Amino acid sequence: MRAIVLSFSICLLLGCRTNNHPVQQTPSAISRALSSELTPAQQEAFQSMVEDARSTRTKVGRPISLMDGIVEAADKEITYLPMYDLDIDKFHSLPTPENLFNSLVPVRDSMYFLVCEGGEILYTLFAVKRKGQWLPGGLVHGRTSGVYRKFGIQPPPPSPVEKLLQDARRTDWRVFRCVFYIYFTYCLEGERFYYSVTDDKNMTSAEACEDIGSFVERLKEDQARGEEYYY
C-alpha cells in the first residue's frame, strides 16, 4: 500500500502510456536529473516484470491495464527513480544536516521506474521483490498520460518539482521517504537543498534538519508511549 501511495504522489509531483523491444534510454531533462543509464540489476528487474506481465496477459486472454502498460513500456524511455528511506534511528542519534543526508539508505524491496516519451513522464511503474523475483507492483498514470483524454478528465497542472527538475543547475537528486512523508533533495551551486512534498516548500539543509528532526522527535515520543506509526 505504501508503494502505491508513493508512486501516486510521485506521478502527481513530476507530471507523469503504456511492446517487445529492449529498454529505451534516450536521455531527457528529467532522466538526466534523476538518474543515469539503468544498471544491469535494474535492467534485469524491469525485464523480469515485463516477462511476468506478458505471461499473465496471455493466461488471462483479455486486456489488463497494469499488464498492458508494463509490456508497452518496453518501447519507451525508462528512467530509474533512485528511492531511499531515511534511517530514522541513525538520524535521531545525531540530528545534524550532514547526518541527515548520510542516513538515507536505498530502498531494497521495490524499484521505481519513470516511463517517459518526448521528455515527458507518462507514468510510474514499480516492481516488488517476492521470493527472489521482481514482479509487477503497480502502474500510476500521471499528468501527460492519455488516460485523461480517454475519460475527459482535466489533468493536474505542472508541479513545483517538475519545474525544479528542468533546471540543469540542480544535480545529485535523491527521493526519500520518512515514514509516510516524501522529500526530494538536490545540490545547487555546491549547497544541498530539500523539497518537502507535504508542505510544498524548499528548505536548506539546516531547515530540513530542524523540520525532519522535529517530526522524528515526536515519533520517538509517541513510540515511547506505545503508539506506533504504520510503515
Side-chain angles (χ1 to χ4, degrees):
M1 175 60 70
R2 183 171 64 162
I4 296 174
V5 172
L6 180 59
S7 289
F8 182 69
S9 301
I10 290 167
C11 279
L12 288 179
L13 289 164
L14 299 182
C16 308
R17 246 166 212 85
T18 68
N19 283 326
N20 306 354
H21 303 287
V23 175
Q24 301 286 319
Q25 294 180 358
T26 305
S28 64
I30 290 173
S31 60
R32 284 196 302 270
L34 288 173
S35 183
S36 57
E37 292 186 352
L38 301 187
T39 66
Q42 292 159 7
Q43 284 270 14
E44 182 180 356
F46 184 83
Q47 294 296 351
S48 175
M49 183 170 57
V50 170
E51 290 168 9
D52 183 82
R54 287 183 186 141
S55 175
T56 301
R57 191 171 63 171
T58 300
K59 290 177 183 177
V60 174
R62 59 180 174 81
I64 306 175
S65 179
L66 169 60
M67 302 307 168
D68 292 347
I70 293 172
V71 172
E72 293 176 17
D75 266 343
K76 310 298 182 184
E77 174 194 345
I78 307 299
T79 297
Y80 176 72
L81 183 63
M83 286 298 310
Y84 295 78
D85 277 322
L86 177 66
D87 185 328
I88 292 175
D89 291 333
K90 181 177 180 179
F91 172 60
H92 186 251
S93 69
L94 184 63
T96 65
E98 294 77 12
N99 196 43
L100 172 59
F101 184 75
N102 292 334
S103 297
L104 301 183
V105 294
V107 171
R108 302 292 186 186
D109 58 350
S110 54
M111 286 193 186
Y112 296 80
F113 300 93
L114 304 180
V115 181
C116 305
E117 187 174 61
E120 297 284 349
I121 298 176
L122 302 177
Y123 51 77
T124 297
L125 293 172
F126 68 93
V128 293
K129 196 169 190 178
R130 296 195 181 102
K131 297 181 179 180
Q133 182 180 1
W134 289 99
L135 302 173
L139 177 154
V140 182
H141 293 275
R143 186 172 59 82
T144 60
S145 170
V147 71
Y148 290 103
R149 295 189 299 274
K150 180 179 179 180
F151 294 102
I153 303 172
Q154 182 67 32
S159 69
V161 172
E162 187 177 1
K163 295 176 181 179
L164 290 174
L165 284 167
Q166 299 292 347
D167 186 346
R169 297 176 304 161
R170 293 175 168 85
T171 60
D172 194 22
W173 284 84
R174 301 285 189 278
V175 187
F176 68 94
R177 56 196 185 190
C178 174
V179 190
F180 38 72
Y181 295 113
I182 303 172
Y183 296 85
F184 286 71
T185 180
Y186 60 88
C187 282
L188 176 62
E189 298 177 349
E191 294 188 38
R192 181 156 293 280
F193 291 85
Y194 292 77
Y195 173 78
S196 168
V197 171
T198 307
D199 300 321
D200 186 23
K201 68 178 181 181
N202 273 305
M203 299 177 286
T204 64
S205 290
E207 292 170 338
C209 180
E210 182 177 355
D211 185 83
I212 298 174
S214 296
F215 168 73
V216 169
E217 192 61 42
R218 293 195 301 272
L219 175 65
K220 290 296 184 179
E221 291 173 358
D222 290 344
Q223 289 176 338
R225 293 194 295 268
E227 301 175 11
E228 294 286 345
Y229 282 85
Y230 290 102
Y231 281 74

